[in-house]
Amino acid sequence: MNESEKTLLKPGRAGIWVAGLLAVTVLAWLVLGVGSALASPVWWLVAAVPIVVFIALPFSLYWLSEGRTGPSWVAFVFAIVLAGSAFAVPAEWHMRAVGNPVTATVGDATCHYNARTGRCLYSYTLTGPDGTTLPGKLQETGEYPPGSSLEVITDPLGVFAPRLAVDLETTWVFEVAALVAFAGFAGAIVVAAVLGERRRRGHPAATAGRPTGGSATNASGGNGGRRTGVKRRPSGARRRR
């Protein structure tokens, strides 16, 4: 085997890589979803780590597929969609599972102006039916006057900010997108693993010591008893006219 035929991974390691990449993908998706939903700048730094992971993971398929770039670009498209769905789906799952429906009253509002879109992202302080301030702030682009009532879902743990109840009814679109993206990403990983394993199996180490050019010779230095040389005339023979 020459230098260009060396494999990037050892044969039989593809299954380990597939399992590891899928586990890292699921973990990064959950961390990104939780980190982006928390109302804290520190958690945005935590969420930045899985974003980098989603960008880097597809290109690790280059080694898994033994130098092919096609699976990496396919996986990159699905990784972008999967990362985008993480901003909505994990937090919505949590709020829908353990959240408490509350009829809240809008209090103070803070406008975070976006010069690019020309719109405000409002942060609303909400109070419950008993007059206590709800933990976290509702962030919405819609404008609600002070004193208006909103149906929201609150986190009993006080970790996530309140969500509009109507928003939880439309998350199935993001859930379907996340499922399709994860299936496509996993499929690209499996295809890369199969292609790479075929290439690795096609260059077994047992053939590494065999000559790549010329005819094979036997142990005595001959050619298996066959005469392959060109028959020549004796040097002293004259050409017959």
Side-chain angles (χ1 to χ4, degrees), residues 102-113:
V102 175
T103 301
T105 302
V106 177
D108 297 333
T110 303
C111 171
H112 304 281
Y113 182 74

Side-chain angles (χ1 to χ4, degrees), residues 23-141:
V24 171
T25 301
V26 173
L27 180 61
W29 186 76
L30 291 174
V31 173
L32 178 58
V34 173
S36 61
L38 294 175
S40 171
V42 176
W43 273 101
W44 271 106
L45 297 177
V46 177
V49 175
I51 292 177
V52 175
V53 171
F54 273 113
I55 296 175
L57 275 182
F59 297 101
S60 66
L61 302 187
Y62 177 85
W63 287 271
L64 186 61
S65 63
E66 293 296 331
R68 296 176 175 89
T69 58
S72 294
W73 289 111
V74 173
F76 182 75
V77 174
F78 286 114
I80 296 300
V81 178
L82 194 61
S85 67
F87 286 93
V89 178
E92 305 291 353
W93 282 352
H94 173 79
M95 297 294 281
R96 194 162 55 213
V98 302
N100 296 324
V102 175
T103 301
T105 302
V106 177
D108 297 333
T110 303
C111 171
H112 304 281
Y113 182 74
N114 190 332
R116 184 175 60 86
T117 61
R119 301 180 62 182
C120 281
L121 176 63
Y122 295 97
S123 295
Y124 294 101
T125 300
L126 303 178
T127 57
D130 57 355
T132 59
T133 302
L134 300 180
K137 291 187 176 183
L138 175 67
Q139 293 188 341
E140 285 291 326
T141 56

Side-chain angles (χ1 to χ4, degrees), residues 104-107 124 126 143-150:
T105 302
V106 177
Y124 294 101
L126 303 178
E143 186 175 356
Y144 302 102
S148 59
S149 297
L150 296 176

Side-chain angles (χ1 to χ4, degrees), residues 29 84-97 140 153 163-180:
W29 186 76
S85 67
F87 286 93
V89 178
E92 305 291 353
W93 282 352
H94 173 79
M95 297 294 281
R96 194 162 55 213
E140 285 291 326
I153 305 297
R163 301 284 180 111
L164 290 177
V166 67
D167 289 345
L168 298 182
E169 299 175 359
T170 59
T171 55
W172 64 271
V173 177
F174 299 101
E175 293 173 0
V176 172
L179 181 61
V180 172

